[in-house]
Amino acid sequence: AQSVTQLGSHVSVSEGALVLLRCNYSSSVPPYLFWYVQYPNQGLQLLLKYTTGATLVKGINGFEAEFKKSETSFHLTKPSAHMSDAAEYFCAVSDRNNNDMRFGAGTRLTVKP
Amino acid sequence: NAGVTQTPKFRVLKTGQSMTLLCAQDMNHEYMYWYRQDPGMGLRLIHYSVGEGTTAKGEVPDGYNVSRLKKQNFLLGLESAAPSQTSVYFCASRPDTSGAKNIQYFGAGTRLSVL
């Protein structure tokens, strides 16, 4: 079965600073990889996904992630944090059927003014 | 666009009581999922359905039952609620497709407390 490890349950950055949220995965088959964002008292919203092809994936709100097979990583980055980016972020992995999606424990991003 | 709608949004139960959570989607999606979210554990899959009349177990199915009598609805039942089932429950759905459109869409969640 697949699994995901998100390094750091809390990350705090200043407004305008680089955002880096780390995700490592384990999968015995070629994975689908996802980043979701969750704002307080809301459901999960897809930020971006990797299926096949280009390993650098661009998502909404200026976020991007790079699939690195050799490092089994899918870290999420944004060059300049905005106050509205404060939320909880989940990395997820699934097989190609996308019926057994496994989520990481989440990283809460705080953005300081 | 309603998307994925979960009913109710909040519920408090006593140990041993039963209840049903309803998930409805208006996107004609084949696949539907129930997850629970607990602090520090992310989301874990309870049950899922690949089409009307079918269900399958996920990672943490014990203590829950599901039914998919209509394509648009996926029900999650707790026959005898336990405090360990206090959680936030999310429903999701996705189309029967591969590649870029193979995305799960989530509801806003149901917050359940079992006393």
Side-chain angles (χ1 to χ4, degrees):
Chain A
Q2 299 95 265
S3 65
V4 169
T5 301
Q6 290 184 239
L7 299 176
S9 58
H10 291 89
V11 170
S12 181
V13 301
S14 298
E15 191 173 18
L18 170 71
V19 175
L20 171 61
L21 304 182
R22 300 178 185 274
C23 172
N24 287 90
Y25 71 91
S26 172
S27 178
S28 58
V29 297
Y32 280 4
L33 293 160
F34 308 80
W35 276 101
Y36 282 87
V37 60
Q38 184 180 31
Y39 298 101
N41 299 315
Q42 294 186 26
L44 277 69
Q45 179 183 358
L46 182 70
L47 274 178
L48 50 81
K49 66 180 287 189
Y50 168 80
T51 54
T52 58
T55 57
L56 181 62
V57 180
K58 295 186 184 298
I60 62 172
N61 301 338
F63 284 94
E64 62 182 37
E66 186 171 10
F67 169 59
K68 292 187 176 181
K69 184 178 179 180
S70 61
E71 299 179 6
T72 61
S73 68
F74 192 58
H75 302 330
L76 182 70
T77 60
K78 182 174 180 178
S80 178
H82 192 271
M83 297 296 291
S84 62
D85 294 327
E88 187 145 22
Y89 292 80
F90 292 94
C91 182
V93 62
S94 78
D95 59 18
R96 294 305 169 105
N97 291 324
N98 199 7
N99 283 331
D100 188 12
M101 183 178 286
R102 300 298 174 105
F103 287 80
T107 298
R108 184 168 300 277
L109 176 66
T110 302
V111 182
K112 298 175 293 186
Chain B
N1 292 333
V4 179
T5 303
Q6 293 183 230
T7 309
K9 289 182 170 39
F10 304 94
R11 186 71 185 268
V12 178
L13 291 179
K14 294 181 179 179
T15 297
Q17 287 184 319
S18 63
M19 79 161 295
T20 300
L21 281 65
L22 171 63
C23 177
Q25 52 94 4
D26 62 0
M27 297 174 282
N28 200 35
H29 286 172
E30 288 292 333
Y31 295 78
M32 297 187 74
Y33 307 83
W34 275 108
Y35 295 89
R36 59 178 289 172
Q37 182 181 27
D38 301 294
M41 301 186 73
L43 277 73
R44 292 179 293 167
L45 182 64
I46 304 171
H47 287 280
Y48 65 98
S49 169
V50 302
E52 182 178 327
T54 72
T55 63
K57 294 180 179 180
E59 186 182 357
V60 288
D62 294 343
Y64 305 95
N65 57 76
V66 289
S67 64
R68 183 97 181 271
L69 298 179
K70 294 183 178 181
K71 184 177 182 179
Q72 64 267 33
N73 296 336
F74 194 29
L75 279 63
L76 178 70
L78 286 73
E79 290 187 348
S80 180
S84 61
Q85 294 177 304
T86 294
S87 187
V88 181
Y89 292 86
F90 287 99
C91 177
S93 72
R94 74 168 179 88
D96 181 13
T97 185
S98 59
K101 294 186 179 180
N102 189 347
I103 300 170
Q104 292 190 23
Y105 296 85
F106 284 80
T110 295
R111 189 174 297 274
L112 175 66
S113 294
V114 183
L115 305 178

